[in-house]
Amino acid sequence: AQSVSQHNHHVILSEAASLELGCNYSYGGTVNLFWYVQYPGQHLQLLLKYFSGDPLVKGIKGFEAEFIKSKFSFNLRKPSVQWSDTAEYFCAGRDSGGYQKVTFGTGTKLQVIP
Amino acid sequence: DTEVTQTPKHLVMGMTNKKSLKCEQHMGHRAMYWYKQKAKKPPELMFVYSYEKLSINESVPSRFSPECPNSSLLNLHLHALQPEDSALYLCASSHGTAGELFFGEGSRLTVL
């Protein structure tokens, strides 16, 4: 089945550390990929998206992700995390061949220690 | 704040009750979605409406009945639910079926 997978379930970092969260997808054709963040008690918010073009995508709050087709990956990065980045991060994807289903990965809980 | 509004925020219902969850967006989006999220799990797609027509039903039990009265509104009618249906129900919308999803804050449902 077409899906996305996240390997890091719980990540603990100190403030100012660099972050990389892994995401792999299994769609065979053209894909749309997303990273969403869910802060405690808040709604899911879009961090960034990839549809086509430049494989290095910059999002809000200093996050970026790189689409590497040869590795079926779309990892999320941030050079220096803050305590306020503590949240659940979801990678999501869609087969862009007209199909409407956006599928979410299992999520990574990020805990940033001051 | 999100531009997708869901009501109620919390709902407690018995297994014989009939209730409805409501979702509203005024962004002009023509695709609307219902997702279900259990604790510590990712959102799971339930239904997709495109231009007010049901386009995807992810084999959801008939005790969940979606309705899209117009392009701004999406309802989820609930009847004879089970305790395992307790979850956070998320509504989302997108400009088209290829755009990113904008989520509401969710309706937290508890079935007793």
Side-chain angles (χ1 to χ4, degrees):
Chain A
Q2 298 172 331
S3 68
V4 293
S5 59
Q6 295 178 245
H7 313 299
N8 316 104
H9 299 295
H10 192 185
V11 173
I12 302 174
L13 294 173
S14 298
E15 274 192 317
S18 63
L19 170 72
E20 181 161 3
L21 301 182
C23 173
N24 289 96
Y25 65 92
S26 62
Y27 303 105
T30 307
V31 298
N32 301 154
L33 295 166
F34 312 89
W35 275 98
Y36 281 86
V37 62
Q38 193 170 32
Y39 297 104
Q42 295 190 27
H43 66 281
L44 280 158
Q45 301 174 42
L46 182 70
L47 277 177
L48 46 80
K49 62 186 178 185
Y50 174 79
F51 280 16
S52 63
D54 189 343
L56 185 61
V57 180
K58 295 196 182 296
I60 61 172
K61 306 187 185 205
F63 287 92
E64 65 178 31
E66 186 174 11
F67 172 67
I68 302 179
K69 189 173 182 179
S70 61
K71 295 185 178 179
F72 295 87
S73 69
F74 189 58
N75 292 354
L76 181 71
R77 301 195 293 247
K78 186 171 184 178
S80 175
V81 294
Q82 302 171 329
W83 176 79
S84 58
D85 293 323
T86 295
E88 186 97 27
Y89 291 80
F90 292 98
C91 182
R94 172 205 281 129
D95 176 349
S96 67
Y99 197 46
Q100 302 151 344
K101 181 176 178 178
V102 174
T103 304
F104 284 78
T106 51
T108 298
K109 182 175 180 180
L110 173 65
Q111 185 177 356
V112 180
I113 301 170
Chain B
D1 289 343
T2 173
E3 296 183 71
V4 178
T5 304
Q6 290 187 243
T7 56
K9 293 192 186 310
H10 300 275
L11 178 63
V12 179
M13 60 186 291
M15 290 190 286
T16 58
N17 292 158
K18 284 185 181 180
K19 297 286 185 183
S20 297
L21 305 181
K22 297 183 185 302
C23 175
E24 188 169 4
Q25 58 87 15
H26 293 288
M27 295 180 281
H29 290 172
R30 303 311 300 267
M32 296 186 77
Y33 310 74
W34 280 114
Y35 279 81
K36 173 182 177 179
Q37 187 177 24
K38 302 279 274 185
K40 301 187 189 303
K41 297 290 186 183
E44 295 178 5
L45 183 65
M46 300 175 72
F47 303 104
V48 179
Y49 273 83
S50 177
Y51 290 85
E52 299 150 53
K53 290 188 180 350
L54 182 65
S55 57
I56 294 180
N57 177 340
E58 287 287 289
S59 302
V60 179
S62 60
R63 57 185 184 269
F64 295 91
S65 176
E67 178 196 20
C68 190
N70 59 56
S71 59
S72 300
L73 294 174
L74 185 66
N75 298 323
L76 186 63
H77 303 297
L78 314 170
H79 174 55
L81 295 193
Q82 304 297 310
E84 58 265 28
D85 296 322
S86 298
L88 182 68
Y89 288 84
L90 296 166
C91 175
S93 68
S94 65
H95 182 69
T97 52
E100 68 264 32
L101 303 182
F102 291 78
F103 282 88
E105 294 185 354
S107 293
R108 187 163 298 281
L109 173 67
T110 302
V111 182
L112 301 177

